[in-house]
Amino acid sequence: MTSTHIDVSTIDFDELGAWMDTQGLPGGPVTDVAPVLGGTQNVMVRFVRGGTPYILRRPPLRPRAHSNEALRREVRVLEALRDTGVPAPRLIAARTGGEPVFYLMEPVDGFNPATGLPEPHASDPAIRHRMGLEATMALAELGRVDPGRLPGFGHPEGFLERQVPRWMGELASYGRLDGYPGPEIPGLSRTAEWLERHRPAAFTPGVMHGDYHVGNLMFATDGPRVAAIVDWEMCTVGDPLLDLGWLLATWPANGEHVPGLPDAQEIVDCYTELTDRDMSAIEWYAVLACFKLGIVLEGTYARACAGKAPKDTGDLLHQTTLDLFARAQRWISP
């Protein structure tokens, strides 16, 4: 939900203010403009108008091919979640017709743990332990949302059957990039074959975040509660247990970097208590998450080999891919 290197002078606040007037929002001059820093995908700017604070989210100045459509999807998701128990940013108003698409939401009073822990979180392992459980509880709440709130989202029919062929095809497509040596990933074939052999026979469709990890969570400043799940552009209707698998695949091992966090089994046990979904194949979802995320990250390495991305970033993400597949092997062969 964050962005870097934002030149706020590129935003026409006079035009934005005129549009806000048409939405019946408080008038007056725009003040206290500040970029919200961190990621790279979309522009995020905080400002105040008429005594009310806002966050503006819009595509970058040079948008990607699907930037506007991704934001339209986010708007639909935030509208659908507004009156549920899912902690999500509160949508105020959106312009979805024409381009650029943008929307306004209430600022989230919280912090992202990827940028460091404030007090009391930093010095209290009990709070950090509870943060992991609260992250799981928020995900379980999302899994209970009626997917009928998002008609036309995703293609749940055949969702699990499509996963391995879809991502093996994506990996094969990297071969078109000059300089990429091919997928030198130990365990790749074994993981793909295991996933096909052990695929669950059925699942109950639900709303998925699509990229559920602690980097996409904001926690309350005064305790372990999840203040908001952010970055909804990958949201779809599919199998919500893949979100749990994603959390497990990206979870710090053995308290790595953040001592006091619950371990993976505690995460699974917490989710199990809060759902009526069949949890008997949860390792399969964790392995699938490692497989899928590893292939996604390998794409940046392939582009780096072709000179289309920074080499140091590509090398780092390739090592992350290798680590993810190594983690998958441990689930396959406990």
Side-chain angles (χ1 to χ4, degrees):
M1 190 169 115
T2 49
S3 44
T4 58
H5 311 301
I6 299 169
D7 181 359
V8 296
S9 68
T10 63
I11 298 172
D12 188 336
F13 282 101
D14 290 336
E15 181 182 352
L16 177 63
W19 175 82
M20 291 175 69
D21 291 342
T22 70
Q23 304 300 301
L25 298 172
V30 171
T31 62
D32 302 306
V33 177
V36 180
L37 305 175
T40 58
Q41 298 305 310
N42 288 294
V43 170
M44 298 275 292
V45 175
R46 183 185 179 109
F47 67 94
V48 174
R49 187 173 190 250
T52 302
Y54 300 92
I55 297 288
L56 167 70
R57 183 160 165 91
R58 55 152 292 161
L61 196 59
R62 296 180 179 83
R64 296 165 294 156
H66 303 294
S67 290
N68 286 288
E69 185 55 36
L71 285 184
R72 287 189 185 95
R73 289 176 65 86
E74 284 191 14
V75 168
R76 287 189 60 194
V77 171
L78 294 180
E79 287 176 337
L81 296 178
R82 185 179 297 180
D83 60 348
T84 71
V86 177
R90 184 179 179 276
L91 183 72
I92 297 173
R95 190 184 79 170
T96 56
E99 296 184 355
V101 172
F102 62 81
Y103 64 85
L104 300 174
M105 58 186 169
E106 292 181 354
V108 175
D109 183 14
F111 71 94
N112 184 282
T115 62
L117 296 176
E119 293 296 346
H121 307 68
S123 58
D124 191 337
I127 290 181
R128 296 195 296 274
H129 186 270
R130 186 67 193 177
M131 286 171 68
L133 301 181
E134 292 282 343
T136 308
M137 293 165 66
L139 182 58
E141 188 69 36
L142 177 62
R144 287 193 286 267
V145 172
D146 178 3
R149 287 175 172 264
L150 288 168
F153 256 57
H155 302 282
E157 303 82 5
F159 178 80
L160 298 183
E161 290 83 356
R162 289 195 301 271
Q163 295 302 309
V164 171
R166 159 77 176 85
W167 293 104
M168 287 298 284
E170 179 75 5
L171 185 60
S173 75
Y174 302 159
R176 295 196 294 267
L177 292 163
D178 291 339
Y180 178 54
E184 298 172 352
I185 305 172
L188 172 64
S189 297
R190 180 174 185 241
T191 304
E193 292 164 1
W194 185 90
L195 286 167
E196 291 289 62
R197 285 198 314 272
H198 294 86
R199 183 176 61 241
F203 71 95
T204 302
V207 178
M208 290 178 55
H209 179 271
D211 190 18
Y212 197 83
H213 57 82
V214 293
N216 280 334
L217 299 177
M218 302 286 286
F219 287 87
T221 55
D222 59 353
R225 176 179 57 86
V226 173
I229 306 167
V230 299
D231 278 350
W232 290 92
E233 65 183 41
M234 301 299 292
C235 180
T236 191
V237 173
D239 189 339
L241 289 184
L242 182 52
D243 273 344
L244 179 58
W246 207 267
L247 184 63
L248 296 172
T250 57
W251 196 249
N254 303 316
E256 175 189 18
H257 307 309
V258 189
L261 290 176
D263 62 26
Q265 189 57 54
E266 288 179 274
I267 296 293
V268 172
D269 291 345
C270 178
Y271 193 98
T272 301
E273 292 178 3
L274 299 169
T275 188
D276 56 3
R277 296 180 183 276
D278 181 359
M279 298 287 289
S280 62
I282 191 57
E283 290 86 359
W284 186 88
Y285 292 93
V287 171
L288 175 60
C290 291
F291 176 82
K292 177 178 175 179
L293 179 56
I295 290 174
V296 169
L297 298 180
E298 184 75 358
T300 301
Y301 173 63
R303 288 190 291 276
C305 291
K308 299 177 183 296
K311 183 179 185 302
D312 56 346
T313 300
D315 290 344
L316 175 64
L317 295 183
H318 178 62
Q319 183 57 55
T320 304
T321 293
L322 299 182
D323 293 343
L324 284 164
F325 272 85
R327 181 174 283 200
Q329 303 317 298
R330 292 193 290 273
W331 271 307
I332 290 172
S333 304

